[in-house]
């Protein structure tokens, strides 16, 4: 993960989880506290693990064996829960787990608390390969909610976090561990949660200081004498943090402080063995090879059976043998390699990340001893595993980005409320304008009457002109008032839906199965809100005569690809088939208005078609392109064909909640403004066909790729990004980095120049928003070019402002213009077409490009 992505990586999963914490409309009564359960399970069994895990394991096993053949069901289940809490994590004991889970389920109606205890203990220490009888996390959470005591949520969150650790989603795991603090009922639980957060922070961001901060918070919260296992774990993790930071003196001090507890086995056999390996690897790094090897050999004799431990110990031994020269180094190394290769066959226990790491060490050892062919084979296997890791990491980044976008839905609600207020204000202004116009009309009429006295022959003509003008003004004023009234009503619908869905956040936490559907509803409401605001903007500009078309060549392939991407999901949800034909070439039009025309036609077809298919076809006849949108809906009565192009007309009352009723009105006005012939044919009961005649571009065009590229050329490039919106900046930066580019980001020129100074990489492309908090994007691009002494440096301006004065200003400055929203495929194509080819002073081979 790059530095830019890490900058806020710990925050976004926390924001996603914050959505789950919204309070519901009616607060339920405070859940009852299960005092007996807390004293027995939390302060008893669970606390024993953090006092002395080795002793807790021994006593729990004795209690379990004593109750196997005698004792009541309650006693047997409680002994099992105690044992599962104390056993080593990843201990392969599915037979025992399945036996006691079956017993607990058989008496679930009578002993639901004991069912939870056994299931929670298993979930916290289950093998990496799930056992057949293991309870799903969703069922465990539902059971915890039914039992009532909120302290049980601590164990539910812990179980979820363990699953995230195993899929390398450390940022999400950090957020869940942090939430555990809200449900801890004892200081030792808080310390444990802080240690797990620190450990995940160390894995996710080893160079960051956040792991040390969490450890500092944990110190002194519990007595080292009462909880020696927890204290030993704290010292061991402090050793790793200090060693990672290069502080060898502090690392050795923490190692010495942890040794007494490790030798007594207070952390349990497995955790103690892991700690011994960590210490040995650190000693090897410090050049103390003999001590490191002796520590590993001592730990091997006392260790518990574990595939993970066995493999890690062999790898650590190889690392020492690579640096140390021993008479038997080669023979011993081959034995360790054979052991590692045998263990790696278990692909469920050893994922691609471990395969990559272990194979790299094997390759280094073989290379040292002249086995170059075998070393090359191991290195190739490491590279293959690294590619798998990268694919997994890319998917993880995609999931995290989607969660960030989900949070943005809440911001859409706020934007909708602001728009509502602005529309109310605009409505008042319209009334004022209408009154002023009426007064002007009266004054004009008075003047006309006076003029008629002096010039009688012009009386009839002037009176008719005034009457026509007043009528037009009144109609326009009434039209705008109706528009505002409709907008105020219809914009409230998705805003109201978003508000209610946000209020359901706490319920979604208790009902995760329904959470996905609620999120889809949030997205649909936010999309509906955005679409209506866009329609209002376009209608206002067309109606006011303030839109100046920007005529250019518009790619049919890109336009139809956007149609397919935008409407495919909506059509599928309605059970419709959406067929969009492939097309090549370009037409002469205004790109924004043509997109609005086609989108509104397709949206109308999908909205009013309940069964069948919606087809979007393109065919060329000479110099004309015919674009048609055909559906299998109910059709339009012949006497209503003209009505559908008027404002606020909805022929089907059952669809009244969908949109403002101005979509086809915009289509007609935009087509007239552009000179595109529009026709509508709709035999009753046979569906509707809307057709558009577009002039074909005769200019030669370079071929375009409609699909999003998997990646840019191997050398990538360097890009400077100016954006003051943190969410947009982070999303765009993540996409560009995923495509292989090095990205310098900042909200102003000085911030970007500061990053360039650190990395010594000159950009090959500048990207900026137009409206920055401190100034104008075009002005900032000019300043950046001047600072870099490169006036011809390619630049791209990405803005949501449709003001027609922007395009000529951008063209005069030599800046390419693109409008939001910008699909990822379109962004990738723009960057590839704009970026300057790499030169000697900008392109850096290998890892230095991602420094």
């Amino acid at each position: 993960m790059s530095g830019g992505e890490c900058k806020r990586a710990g925050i976004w999963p926390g924001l996603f989880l914050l959505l789950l914490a919204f309070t519901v409309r009616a607060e339920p009564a405070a859940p009852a506290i299960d005092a007996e359960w807390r004293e027995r399970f939390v302060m008893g069994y669970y606390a024993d693990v953090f006092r002395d895990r080795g002793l807790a394991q021994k006593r729990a096993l004795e209690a379990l064996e004593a109750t196997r053949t005698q004792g009541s069901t309650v006693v047997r289940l409680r002994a099992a829960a105690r044992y599962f809490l104390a056993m080593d994590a990843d201990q392969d004991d599915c037979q025992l787990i399945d036996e006691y889970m079956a017993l607990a389920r058989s008496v679930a109606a009578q002993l639901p608390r004991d069912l939870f205890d056994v299931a929670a203990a298993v979930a916290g220490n289950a093998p990496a390969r799930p056992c057949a009888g293991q309870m799903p996390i969703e069922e465990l959470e539902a059971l915890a909610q039914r039992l009532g005591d909120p302290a049980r949520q601590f164990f539910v969150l812990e179980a979820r976090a363990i699953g995230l650790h195993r899929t390398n989603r450390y940022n999400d795991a950090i957020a869940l561990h942090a939430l555990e603090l809200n449900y801890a009922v004892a200081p030792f639980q808080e310390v444990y949660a802080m240690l797990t957060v620190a450990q995940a922070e160390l894995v996710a961001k080893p160079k960051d200081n956040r792991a040390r901060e969490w450890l500092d918070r944990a110190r002194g919260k519990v007595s080292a004498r009462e909880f020696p296992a927890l204290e030993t774990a704290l010292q061991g993790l402090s050793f790793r943090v200090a060693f990672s930071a290069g502080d060898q003196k502090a690392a050795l001090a923490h190692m010495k402080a942890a040794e007494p507890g490790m030798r007594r086995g207070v952390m349990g056999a497995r955790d103690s063995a892991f700690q011994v390996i960590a210490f040995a690897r650190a000693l090897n790094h410090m050049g103390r090879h003999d001590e490191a090897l002796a520590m590993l050999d001592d730990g091997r004799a006392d260790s518990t059976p574990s595939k993970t431990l066995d493999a890690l110990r062999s790898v650590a031994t190889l690392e020492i043998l690579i640096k140390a020269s021993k008479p038997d180094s080669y023979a011993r190394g081959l034995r360790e390699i054979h052991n590692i290769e045998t263990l790696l066959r278990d692909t469920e226990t050893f994922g691609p990340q471990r395969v990559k790491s272990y194979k790299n060490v094997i390759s280094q050892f073989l290379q040292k001893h002249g086995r170059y062919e075998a070393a090359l084979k191991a290195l190739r296997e490491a590279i293959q595993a690294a590619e798998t890791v990268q694919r997994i990491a890319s998917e993880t980044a995609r999931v995290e980005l989607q969660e960030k976008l989900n949070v943005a839905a809440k911001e859409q609600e706020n934007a909708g409320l602001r728009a509502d207020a602005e529309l109310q204000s605009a409505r008042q202004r319209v009334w004022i304008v209408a009154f002023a116009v009426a007064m002007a009309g009266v004054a004009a009429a008075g003047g006309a009457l006076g003029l008629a006295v002096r010039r009688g022959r012009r009386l009839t003509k002037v009176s008719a002109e005034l009457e026509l003008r007043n009528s037009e003004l009144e109609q326009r004023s009434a039209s705008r008032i109706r528009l505002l009234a409709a907008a105020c009503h219809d914009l409230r619908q998705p805003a109201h839906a978003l508000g209610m869905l946000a209020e359901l956040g706490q319920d979604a936490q208790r009902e995760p199965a329904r959470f996905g559907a609620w999120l889809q509803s949030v997205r649909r409401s936010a999309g509906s809100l955005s679409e209506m605001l866009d329609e209002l903007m376009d209608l206002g500009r067309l109606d006011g005569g303030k839109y100046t078309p920007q005529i250019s060549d518009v790619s049919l392939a890109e336009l139809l690809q956007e149609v397919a991407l935008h409407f495919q999901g909506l059509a599928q949800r309605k059970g419709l088939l959406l067929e969009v034909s492939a097309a090549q070439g370009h037409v002469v039009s205004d790109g924004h208005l043509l997109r609005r025309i086609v989108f509104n036609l397709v949206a109308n077809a999908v909205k009013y078609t309940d069964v069948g298919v919606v087809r979007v076809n393109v065919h060329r006849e000479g110099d004309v392109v015919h674009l048609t949108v055909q559906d299998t809906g109910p059709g339009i009565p012949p006497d209503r064909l003209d009505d559908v192009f008027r404002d606020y007309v909805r022929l089907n009352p059952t669809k009244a909640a969908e949109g403002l009723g101005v979509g086809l009105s915009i289509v007609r006005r935009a087509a007239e403004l552009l000179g595109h012939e529009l026709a509508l044919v709709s035999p009753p009961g046979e569906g509707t066909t809307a057709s558009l005649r577009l002039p074909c571009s005769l200019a030669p065009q370079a071929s375009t790729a409609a699909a999003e590229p998997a990646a840019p050329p191997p050398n990538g490039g360097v890009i400077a990004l100016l954006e003051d919106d943190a969410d947009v900046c982070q999303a765009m930066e993540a996409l560009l980095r995923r495509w292989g580019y090095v990205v310098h980001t900042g909200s102003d020129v000085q911030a970007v120049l500061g990053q360039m100074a650190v990395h010594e990489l000159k950009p090959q492309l500048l990207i900026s928003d137009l409206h920055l908090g401190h100034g104008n994007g075009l002005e900032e691009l000019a300043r950046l070019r001047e600072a870099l002494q490169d006036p011809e440096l390619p630049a791209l301006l990405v803005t949501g402002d449709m003001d027609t004065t922007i395009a000529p200003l951008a063209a005069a400055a030599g800046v390419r213009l693109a409008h939001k929203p910008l699909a990822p495929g379109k962004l990738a194509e723009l960057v590839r077409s704009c970026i300057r080819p790499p030169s000697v002073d900008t392109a850096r081979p290998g890892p230095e490009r991602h420094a």
Side-chain angles (χ1 to χ4, degrees):
M1 187 178 287
S2 68
E5 290 169 309
C6 287
K7 183 167 57 176
R8 294 178 182 261
I11 295 176
W12 289 108
L15 286 176
F16 167 70
L17 292 163
L18 184 63
L19 181 62
L20 300 178
F22 273 92
T23 56
V24 293
R25 192 181 303 256
E27 292 293 337
I33 293 175
D34 191 340
E36 188 278 332
W37 172 81
R38 290 189 178 191
E39 185 65 25
R40 170 178 50 81
F41 187 80
V42 181
M43 306 305 295
Y45 305 157
Y46 196 50
D48 285 345
V49 174
F50 297 103
R51 293 187 178 99
D52 188 329
R53 191 183 195 104
L55 183 60
Q57 289 173 343
K58 179 182 178 181
R59 291 176 175 172
L61 182 58
E62 292 173 352
L64 185 69
E65 291 175 345
T67 60
R68 292 292 303 263
T69 56
Q70 59 184 359
S72 66
T73 302
V74 173
V75 173
R76 293 177 62 194
L77 290 178
R78 292 183 178 180
R82 180 181 180 184
Y83 173 74
F84 292 141
L85 276 176
M87 74 177 185
D88 286 321
D90 295 335
Q91 184 174 326
D92 193 359
D93 207 349
C94 278
Q95 182 177 353
L96 193 64
I97 289 173
D98 293 345
E99 174 188 342
Y100 278 97
M101 281 300 303
L103 176 62
R105 286 186 181 277
S106 68
V107 293
Q110 299 82 20
L111 303 172
R113 297 193 307 169
D114 295 289
L115 171 61
F116 175 85
D117 292 352
V118 174
V122 168
N125 285 320
R129 185 185 309 168
C131 301
Q134 192 171 334
M135 181 179 287
I137 300 298
E138 294 75 13
E139 184 182 351
L140 181 68
E141 183 174 19
L143 179 58
Q145 291 173 352
R146 192 162 65 249
L147 291 173
D149 192 330
R152 288 187 172 89
Q153 289 299 324
F154 182 93
F155 299 93
V156 175
L157 292 170
E158 178 67 12
R160 285 192 181 278
I162 289 171
L164 293 172
H165 279 289
R166 287 173 176 162
T167 56
N168 298 328
R169 293 188 62 182
Y170 297 112
N171 294 317
D172 292 345
I174 289 168
L176 287 181
H177 285 310
L179 280 179
E180 289 175 8
L181 294 170
N182 298 329
Y183 299 99
V185 296
F188 79 85
Q189 287 182 288
E190 296 179 13
V191 173
Y192 170 69
M194 292 174 185
L195 292 186
T196 51
V197 173
Q199 184 170 354
E201 290 280 11
L202 182 61
V203 174
K205 298 178 279 289
K207 300 301 181 183
D208 205 336
N209 200 41
R210 300 184 69 175
R212 187 187 299 275
E213 293 172 359
W214 280 101
L215 291 176
D216 290 341
R217 287 180 59 184
R219 297 186 200 282
K221 276 189 168 288
V222 295
S223 167
R225 179 174 298 179
E226 182 181 359
F227 291 96
L230 208 53
E231 175 65 19
T232 302
L234 175 61
Q235 293 294 343
L237 190 54
S238 299
F239 155 80
R240 291 176 57 191
V241 171
F243 181 75
S244 178
D247 190 348
Q248 294 187 6
K249 183 178 179 180
L252 288 173
H254 288 302
M255 181 192 299
K256 185 176 181 180
E259 278 190 273
M262 287 175 49
R263 294 187 184 281
R264 296 204 315 271
V266 297
M267 294 175 61
R270 176 184 176 276
D271 289 350
S272 295
F274 271 120
Q275 198 64 67
V276 166
I277 295 172
F279 288 167
R281 298 177 89 171
L283 289 172
N284 181 50
H285 184 79
M286 297 175 190
R288 301 162 72 165
H289 311 305
D290 292 339
E291 293 179 56
L293 202 56
M295 183 175 286
L296 282 181
D297 290 340
D298 290 344
R300 192 186 301 266
D302 302 331
S303 180
T304 183
S306 167
K307 291 182 179 180
T308 306
L309 274 173
D310 199 8
L312 191 59
R313 188 180 296 106
S314 291
V315 170
T317 303
L318 273 185
E319 291 173 340
I320 297 171
L321 295 176
I322 290 170
K323 292 188 175 184
S325 296
K326 299 285 183 182
D328 62 340
S329 291
Y330 181 64
R332 181 170 181 177
L334 290 181
R335 290 196 299 271
E336 301 294 355
I337 290 174
H338 176 73
N339 184 48
I340 295 170
E341 298 281 6
T342 302
L343 291 168
L344 289 182
R345 293 172 189 164
D346 183 356
T347 56
E348 293 190 11
T349 301
F350 298 95
Q353 181 70 40
R354 287 178 175 171
V355 173
K356 179 193 78 168
S357 176
Y358 296 175
K359 290 289 185 179
N360 269 325
V361 176
I362 291 174
S363 176
Q364 293 172 30
F365 176 84
L366 293 172
Q367 184 179 358
K368 176 185 177 181
H369 291 279
R371 296 282 303 278
Y372 298 113
E373 185 175 348
L376 181 60
K377 179 176 180 292
L379 184 60
R380 286 173 176 165
E381 292 172 345
I383 293 172
Q384 184 178 4
E387 292 173 350
T388 303
V389 170
Q390 184 59 44
R391 285 196 299 271
I392 294 172
S394 298
E395 176 61 17
T396 300
R398 184 195 67 78
V399 171
E400 291 181 351
L401 180 59
Q402 181 62 49
E403 291 170 354
K404 297 172 190 176
L405 296 175
N406 292 344
V407 175
K410 185 63 179 176
E411 297 178 3
Q412 287 275 8
E413 177 187 5
N414 296 333
L417 295 175
R418 288 194 298 269
D420 197 328
E422 290 172 2
L423 288 172
Q424 292 284 3
S425 177
R427 182 179 182 183
Q428 295 175 358
R429 290 197 297 271
V430 168
W431 277 107
I432 295 172
V433 170
F435 180 75
V437 168
M439 293 301 295
V442 172
L449 289 174
L451 184 62
V453 173
R454 298 187 301 272
R455 301 176 183 179
R457 286 189 297 176
R458 296 183 58 188
L459 176 61
T460 303
K461 181 179 179 181
V462 170
S463 298
E465 289 176 351
L466 286 173
E467 184 178 354
L468 178 61
R469 182 179 178 186
N470 284 338
S471 176
E472 290 175 350
L473 289 172
E474 289 173 1
Q475 289 177 6
R476 180 173 297 180
S477 175
S479 173
R480 290 181 177 176
I481 291 171
R482 288 197 306 273
L483 171 63
L484 291 174
C488 290
H489 172 269
D490 290 331
L491 284 171
R492 284 193 178 98
Q493 304 306 317
H496 179 59
L498 284 171
M500 290 191 297
L501 288 165
E503 289 292 329
L504 287 171
Q506 185 65 35
D507 289 345
Q509 187 179 18
R510 293 194 294 269
E511 302 179 57
R514 300 179 61 189
F515 185 55
W518 286 343
L519 276 182
Q520 291 297 329
S521 298
V522 168
R523 293 192 189 99
R524 285 196 293 271
S525 296
S528 175
L529 197 62
S530 177
E531 192 68 16
M532 282 192 272
L533 289 171
D534 287 344
E535 286 189 342
L536 278 174
M537 178 78 72
D538 289 337
L539 183 62
R541 292 162 68 195
L542 289 170
D543 195 39
K546 295 181 179 179
Y547 192 99
T548 303
Q550 301 295 311
I551 303 300
S552 62
D553 292 342
V554 180
S555 168
L556 287 171
E558 293 179 5
L559 175 63
L560 296 185
Q561 183 199 24
E562 285 191 65
V563 169
L565 290 173
H566 190 86
F567 292 99
Q568 195 68 253
L570 178 60
Q572 288 177 353
R573 285 195 295 273
K574 291 192 65 176
L576 302 177
L577 178 63
L578 177 64
E579 296 180 354
V580 181
S581 67
Q584 298 295 328
H586 294 68
V587 293
V588 179
S589 185
D590 178 286
H592 173 71
L593 283 187
L594 180 59
R595 179 182 182 275
R596 171 60 66 191
I597 291 172
V598 177
F599 268 48
N600 283 10
L601 289 174
V602 176
N604 214 59
V606 172
K607 181 192 302 184
Y608 288 99
T609 302
D610 294 322
V611 179
V613 62
V614 174
R615 297 185 179 91
V616 183
N617 294 315
V618 172
H619 69 277
R620 179 173 176 176
E621 290 182 1
D623 296 333
V624 175
V625 171
H626 296 269
L627 190 153
T628 61
V629 178
Q630 183 180 14
D631 64 58
T632 56
I636 303 171
D639 60 334
R640 301 296 305 275
L641 278 175
D642 290 334
D643 292 345
V644 298
F645 290 110
R646 292 205 291 268
D647 297 341
Y648 327 115
V649 172
R650 296 186 178 101
L651 297 185
N652 187 346
T654 63
K655 310 289 184 179
E658 302 174 23
L660 296 171
V662 297
L664 292 183
S665 175
I666 292 175
V667 168
R668 177 182 58 79
R669 298 182 195 195
E672 289 176 353
L673 180 64
L674 297 174
H676 299 334
E677 182 178 337
L678 176 67
L680 192 67
V681 178
S682 184
E686 297 181 17
T688 302
T689 301
S691 60
L692 201 64
R693 286 170 53 91
L694 306 170
C696 185
S697 172
L698 302 179
Q701 301 288 341
S703 62
T704 59
E708 177 183 350
N715 287 334
V718 184
I719 296 174
L721 175 61
L722 278 168
E723 174 61 70
D724 62 344
D725 186 296
D727 296 344
V728 175
C729 181
Q730 191 171 26
M732 189 177 292
E733 179 189 9
L735 275 176
L736 293 171
R737 288 187 183 275
R738 194 178 78 181
W739 296 332
Y741 296 104
V742 177
V743 185
H744 303 310
T745 63
S747 59
D748 57 28
V749 170
Q750 292 304 320
V752 172
L753 290 175
Q755 286 199 29
M756 293 179 196
V758 172
H759 298 288
E760 299 181 353
L761 294 176
K762 182 179 178 181
Q764 298 152 250
L765 175 65
L766 310 179
I767 302 178
S768 177
D769 189 12
L770 176 62
H771 299 295
L772 301 172
H774 51 274
N776 180 288
L778 288 172
E779 295 172 356
E780 293 298 296
L781 289 173
R783 287 180 57 203
L784 197 50
R785 282 172 166 172
E786 182 180 357
L788 296 172
Q789 298 181 355
D790 191 349
E792 303 299 323
L793 186 60
L796 174 64
L797 186 70
V798 181
T799 179
D801 194 332
M802 302 299 296
D803 192 332
T804 55
T805 62
I806 298 172
L809 291 174
V815 175
R816 184 82 172 267
L817 178 64
H819 289 98
K820 300 175 184 176
L822 201 57
K826 180 64 176 176
L827 175 62
E829 182 182 338
L830 282 170
V831 171
R832 286 198 308 166
S833 65
C834 292
I835 194 167
R836 177 183 289 171
S839 59
V840 176
D841 63 328
T842 58
R844 302 293 180 91
E848 293 182 7
R849 288 173 47 243
H850 301 279

